[in-house]
Amino acid sequence: EAGVAQSPRYKIIEKRQSVAFWCNPISGHATLYWYQQILGQGPKLLIQFQNNGVVDDSQLPKDRFSAERLKGVDSTLKIQPAKLEDSAVYLCASRHPLRGTFGTEAFFGQGTRLTVV
Amino acid sequence: SQQGEEDPQALSIQEGENATMNCSYKTSINNLQWYRQNSGRGLVHLILIRSNEREKHSGRLRVTLDTSKKSSSLLITASRAADTASYFCATDKPGTASKLTFGTGTRLQVTL
């Protein structure tokens, strides 16, 4: 089974520039997450999709971040304009929706390391 | 916001020793999961324990869950240098459409 694919792996941009990240989840996984992980911290959920609908985007800085998941498969996360504090690893993950009461594991991509200078 | 907090933040042991890390969380859960992250890589799922389970084993891993104390522990027995990584707990809360919330992590260093 192919894993979660993310690109690019690394990106360096200047502040105020724009950047976009791409994610292709595991086939059949309806749930897709984007996390931001700042160095030394745990992953912080930015947005969660169920198919092509947004379930949770409460921690997404909507003035500069946007995300979409057209056709309920691939997803893109965009930052415009970037700030220095956006330097982090952006992780995409997918999983089956909640099965019964107890749920299942999530599968992560390798992440995109963003450096804003 | 972080749901869980791991303790200790960092742990250094020698190969062959056991490593124990703890996770505390704030609200009721459907399940609690542990993930490993090698430097610069994505997270890898290790084990999932349901809210109605108290203990679970997988190879050299042993996880316990105490829902009354809202805490979990991960024990790695007979550690190896390859176990060097960061370990995170993550929780699924009821009624949140499988929202997965991570803790702050424990950095484990296993030396030869």
Side-chain angles (χ1 to χ4, degrees):
Chain A
E1 168 178 84
V4 177
Q6 286 189 250
S7 67
R9 283 296 314 275
Y10 305 93
K11 191 74 176 179
I12 301 174
I13 62 172
E14 295 182 348
K15 59 183 179 182
R16 291 187 291 273
Q17 285 187 325
S18 302
V19 65
F21 313 128
W22 174 82
C23 173
N24 180 238
I26 292 174
S27 177
H29 282 192
T31 303
L32 185 147
Y33 309 90
W34 282 102
Y35 288 89
Q36 180 193 58
Q37 187 178 23
I38 293 172
L39 186 64
Q41 298 182 17
K44 169 189 160 186
L45 179 67
L46 293 176
I47 190 166
Q48 176 186 342
F49 291 95
Q50 187 78 4
N51 296 305
N52 61 348
V54 175
V55 174
D56 188 318
D57 63 357
S58 57
Q59 297 193 90
L60 186 74
K62 298 180 185 65
D63 58 334
R64 298 184 301 106
F65 285 65
S66 65
E68 60 181 10
R69 190 183 184 195
L70 299 176
K71 301 181 181 178
V73 182
D74 292 6
S75 178
T76 56
L77 176 69
K78 297 178 182 178
I79 307 175
Q80 179 180 9
K83 294 184 176 181
L84 296 177
E85 58 260 37
D86 298 332
S87 293
V89 175
Y90 291 85
L91 296 164
C92 179
S94 70
R95 73 195 285 205
H96 281 290
L98 198 67
R99 283 181 171 167
T101 305
F102 299 109
T104 61
E105 71 267 34
F107 295 83
F108 281 79
Q110 296 284 34
T112 296
R113 184 177 298 276
L114 174 68
T115 302
V116 183
V117 298
Chain B
S1 61
Q2 302 289 153
Q3 158 76 317
E5 287 192 9
E6 280 89 335
D7 170 56
Q9 289 189 343
L11 180 61
S12 183
I13 60 174
Q14 291 192 323
E15 202 171 47
E17 294 181 334
N18 296 340
T20 299
M21 50 204 88
N22 305 294
C23 169
S24 60
Y25 56 92
K26 299 174 184 174
T27 64
S28 60
I29 59 173
N30 280 335
N31 67 63
L32 186 141
Q33 306 180 30
W34 286 90
Y35 289 78
R36 183 186 72 222
Q37 185 177 39
N38 291 89
S39 180
R41 308 289 294 274
L43 282 80
V44 174
H45 179 262
L46 294 176
I47 195 165
L48 180 153
I49 186 165
R50 299 175 173 184
S51 59
N52 64 349
E53 296 176 316
R54 293 297 167 258
E55 187 171 314
K56 200 163 183 179
H57 297 255
S58 176
R60 295 185 295 113
L61 305 180
R62 173 178 170 257
V63 170
T64 62
L65 179 65
D66 186 335
T67 53
S68 66
K69 295 181 179 179
K70 292 186 171 59
S71 67
S72 173
S73 67
L74 171 68
L75 168 67
I76 304 173
T77 60
S79 64
R80 306 165 181 169
D83 295 327
T84 295
S86 291
Y87 292 81
F88 295 91
C89 66
T91 53
D92 253 332
K93 294 191 289 184
T96 55
S98 66
K99 177 178 179 177
L100 197 59
T101 307
F102 283 81
T104 52
T106 293
R107 293 183 301 280
L108 174 65
Q109 177 75 42
V110 182
T111 56
L112 297 172

